[in-house]
Amino acid sequence: MLEKNTCFGCEFQSSATKFLKKEELENLEKCSVGIHFKKNDIIFKENIFSSNVIYLKKGIIKLHKKTSSKEKIIKIVKSPNYLGIPATFNEKYHYYSATSLSDTMVCFIQKEKFKDFIYSNSDFAYKIIKSLCENEIILLEQCFNKSKKNVRGRIAETLLFFYNEIFHQKKFIIPLTRDEFGKYIDTSRESVSRILTEFNKDRIINLTAKNVEILNEKLLEMISENG
Amino acid sequence: MLEKNTCFGCEFQSSATKFLKKEELENLEKCSVGIHFKKNDIIFKENIFSSNVIYLKKGIIKLHKKTSSKEKIIKIVKSPNYLGIPATFNEKYHYYSATSLSDTMVCFIQKEKFKDFIYSNSDFAYKIIKSLCENEIILLEQCFNKSKKNVRGRIAETLLFFYNEIFHQKKFIIPLTRDEFGKYIDTSRESVSRILTEFNKDRIINLTAKNVEILNEKLLEMISENG
DNA sequence: TAAAAAATATGATATTTATCACAAAATTTT
DNA sequence: AAAATTTTGTGATAAATATCATATTTTTTA
């Protein structure tokens, strides 16, 4: 669903666009379009040439990628955040696909105009740099943690990630199927099932289908640390 | 070994500093210092507050990180490249350590001055953005590949990485011990030994201690693709 | 250069996790 | 609401990889 985009006074402004002047914001408005997506809608697909900067204004999405029948969920991203800036600025095809995990609002911004702002407004440029830096640190942490933990530890870590970074509540609905959960933490759906059931039996979580309540945060943290 | 740093006319200039004007380069020279490191010297350590932008002018280094007795090599980086920009710009402690794998030359640049260039020179800023984007894509590829390959595939991939990205020759010396190799690709030193020996027996490579010659590139690529 | 320390190779065994098989439950479609 | 499809749970088994043990080789240090 396409909708009129108002950048000036937009309540979901990014930390970078907050530095744009009124005139620049009016320009941004002219060169961008906002789109609503429903849960499970594809926002963009891998291997498509990236000609827009994509701003996730509201919602949660997954970045995922396929190769020869195998699929992997690379990252789960919550608004507000830019998506695919690396591909866009390297004049490259998108490295991954993005699919919404909730209802989302997304702005598509013409690359060239966005680049103009980097040249015309150095506060804006610096904020973009900081945002790229933050993403890199998050990605590094993710790589490091994943490689040093067993499956139990990775599942515990992911439950804590949903609690601390995404929902900020101990009671939430896992926004992934067991199969997707497995593709996110590099394991099989069966292993996810088994270990979630085990956590439920041990009263570390209360689990009914996709509904989770974290009952023993401390223990979950210990499992996340030590596998 | 500390040495006089000449930025103007430096033969190892980064793609970003090439955009600096003569005056700015003289400024850069005043706020930066060049240091030689020998093989296995520590360039910086994790958990140290980062107050410099670090430019790897010449050489190869490893980025690595320790947690509770477990160590991981996160990335192998070849010059020219900036190191630790994310930590520096987020006013954070270094997430990882950097250790030289060859003789290296490194410039330490005062963070504040570097930031000034981002504000005063938008070509410079844009090049920094592009460099951060490239690093993110490399990191994503690395995460994705590692998660989808078995140990054999990861070892093949790493040998090809040394050939294609680092040494550009089919004959090279592995700049890691078997133990480090394992810490790079998330496996045990024994598995590395075994599989390298197997590759040698199968005449895919010619192996003597750390000396490798790639004999069958095509097959190595197939193993890298399909495990 | 000899002694000590570190790195490597390799067989045997243990552990972790994946895969297969199938039943049950939940969700979507008609 | 019934039928079809997708998702989930769980036991049995297989495969991949780690760990342990020990000998050998290489490198570093005295």
Side-chain angles (χ1 to χ4, degrees):
Chain A
M1 192 178 89
L2 205 124
E3 69 165 28
K4 193 173 162 7
N5 217 25
T6 50
C7 297
F8 184 71
C10 168
E11 62 172 317
F12 301 111
Q13 267 192 38
S14 81
S15 64
T17 57
K18 274 182 191 142
F19 279 101
L20 295 182
K21 291 164 205 96
K22 187 164 186 240
E23 195 188 291
E24 287 170 319
L25 278 173
E26 283 165 0
N27 251 315
L28 179 62
E29 197 168 307
K30 275 183 215 143
C31 73
S32 67
V33 56
I35 300 186
H36 271 270
F37 288 95
K38 286 201 296 289
K39 197 183 162 176
N40 293 326
D41 281 350
I42 295 167
I43 297 169
F44 59 83
K45 287 201 95 170
E46 63 205 87
N47 303 324
I48 295 287
F49 189 81
S50 171
S51 50
N52 287 287
V53 170
I54 294 157
Y55 179 58
L56 179 61
K57 206 152 80 166
K58 197 158 180 288
I60 304 163
I61 62 105
K62 63 173 179 181
L63 300 178
H64 52 113
K65 183 178 172 66
K66 229 184 202 164
T67 335
S68 58
S69 79
K70 286 177 184 176
E71 200 190 23
K72 166 150 181 64
I73 296 177
I74 295 167
K75 210 173 169 185
I76 292 171
V77 182
K78 197 188 62 168
S79 66
N81 225 315
Y82 288 100
L83 305 177
I85 286 190
T88 309
F89 282 171
N90 277 303
E91 321 282 334
K92 292 247 170 80
Y93 301 90
H94 276 297
Y95 184 70
Y96 40 65
S97 304
T99 300
S100 57
L101 293 176
S102 70
D103 286 5
T104 56
M105 292 206 289
V106 174
C107 297
F108 291 82
I109 307 156
Q110 286 169 37
K111 177 177 68 179
E112 288 310 321
K113 295 290 170 63
F114 196 85
K115 197 172 152 181
D116 287 347
F117 296 141
I118 289 172
Y119 274 88
S120 67
N121 187 323
S122 45
D123 284 312
F124 180 83
Y126 189 68
K127 277 289 172 187
I128 295 296
I129 287 175
K130 284 205 65 156
S131 148
L132 288 168
C133 288
E134 270 161 37
N135 279 337
E136 177 159 342
I137 286 179
I138 289 167
L139 201 57
L140 278 172
E141 276 178 1
Q142 202 178 297
C143 286
F144 182 78
N145 286 338
K146 207 170 285 173
S147 72
K148 289 293 141 205
K149 289 178 186 178
N150 62 15
V151 175
R152 257 169 73 86
R154 300 206 295 275
I155 290 180
E157 185 193 8
T158 304
L159 292 173
L160 289 168
F161 165 76
F162 285 136
Y163 164 42
N164 291 313
E165 308 296 331
I166 304 290
F167 300 111
H168 307 290
Q169 298 197 73
K170 290 198 176 180
K171 225 170 174 167
F172 56 84
I173 296 171
I174 301 174
L176 305 171
T177 64
R178 300 291 190 266
D179 192 48
E180 286 176 314
F181 202 136
K183 278 163 180 158
Y184 182 47
I185 60 164
D186 301 325
T187 191
S188 65
R189 58 166 195 84
E190 292 96 330
S191 294
V192 175
S193 268
R194 264 187 267 271
I195 290 167
L196 284 177
T197 303
E198 187 197 311
F199 284 176
N200 185 51
K201 274 189 194 141
D202 296 346
R203 306 317 292 152
I204 300 167
I205 61 173
N206 190 9
L207 177 79
T208 316
K210 290 200 175 68
N211 299 278
V212 169
E213 183 180 7
I214 294 178
L215 300 176
N216 193 338
E217 190 186 342
K218 282 273 166 292
L219 187 48
L220 210 52
E221 270 162 11
M222 272 181 54
I223 295 169
S224 170
E225 291 297 317
N226 311 309
Chain B
M1 191 178 88
L2 206 125
E3 68 164 29
K4 192 172 161 11
N5 216 26
T6 49
C7 296
F8 184 71
C10 168
E11 63 172 316
F12 301 111
Q13 268 192 39
S14 80
S15 64
T17 58
K18 274 181 192 146
F19 280 100
L20 294 181
K21 291 164 204 96
K22 185 163 187 241
E23 194 189 290
E24 288 171 318
L25 277 173
E26 283 165 0
N27 250 315
L28 178 62
E29 197 168 306
K30 275 183 215 142
C31 73
S32 69
V33 56
I35 300 186
H36 270 270
F37 289 95
K38 286 201 296 289
K39 195 181 163 178
N40 292 327
D41 282 348
I42 296 167
I43 297 169
F44 58 85
K45 286 200 96 170
E46 62 205 88
N47 303 324
I48 295 287
F49 190 82
S50 169
S51 50
N52 287 288
V53 169
I54 295 157
Y55 179 59
L56 180 61
K57 204 152 81 166
K58 196 158 180 288
I60 303 163
I61 62 106
K62 63 173 179 180
L63 301 177
H64 52 113
K65 182 179 174 66
K66 229 185 202 163
T67 335
S68 58
S69 80
K70 286 176 184 176
E71 199 190 22
K72 167 151 182 63
I73 295 176
I74 295 167
K75 211 174 169 185
I76 292 171
V77 181
K78 196 190 62 168
S79 66
N81 225 315
Y82 288 100
L83 306 177
I85 286 190
T88 308
F89 281 171
N90 277 301
E91 321 282 335
K92 291 246 170 80
Y93 301 89
H94 275 297
Y95 184 70
Y96 39 64
S97 305
T99 300
S100 58
L101 292 176
S102 70
D103 286 5
T104 58
M105 293 207 287
V106 175
C107 298
F108 291 81
I109 307 155
Q110 286 168 38
K111 177 177 66 178
E112 289 310 321
K113 295 289 171 64
F114 197 85
K115 199 171 151 181
D116 288 347
F117 295 141
I118 290 173
Y119 275 89
S120 67
N121 187 322
S122 44
D123 284 313
F124 180 83
Y126 190 69
K127 277 289 172 188
I128 295 295
I129 287 175
K130 284 207 65 157
S131 149
L132 288 168
C133 288
E134 271 161 37
N135 279 338
E136 178 159 341
I137 286 179
I138 290 166
L139 201 57
L140 278 171
E141 276 177 3
Q142 200 178 300
C143 285
F144 183 77
N145 287 338
K146 208 170 285 171
S147 72
K148 289 291 142 206
K149 289 178 186 176
N150 61 14
V151 175
R152 257 169 73 87
R154 300 206 295 276
I155 289 180
E157 184 192 11
T158 304
L159 292 173
L160 290 168
F161 165 76
F162 285 136
Y163 164 43
N164 291 313
E165 308 295 331
I166 305 289
F167 300 111
H168 307 290
Q169 297 195 73
K170 289 198 176 181
K171 225 171 175 167
F172 57 83
I173 296 170
I174 301 174
L176 305 170
T177 65
R178 301 290 189 266
D179 193 48
E180 287 176 312
F181 204 135
K183 279 164 180 157
Y184 182 48
I185 60 165
D186 302 326
T187 191
S188 65
R189 59 174 188 78
E190 290 96 330
S191 294
V192 175
S193 269
R194 263 187 269 269
I195 289 167
L196 284 178
T197 303
E198 187 197 310
F199 284 176
N200 185 52
K201 275 188 195 141
D202 297 346
R203 305 318 292 153
I204 300 167
I205 61 173
N206 190 8
L207 177 78
T208 316
K210 291 200 175 67
N211 299 280
V212 169
E213 182 180 8
I214 293 177
L215 300 177
N216 193 338
E217 189 186 342
K218 282 272 166 296
L219 188 47
L220 211 51
E221 269 162 10
M222 271 181 54
I223 295 169
S224 171
E225 291 298 316
N226 311 308

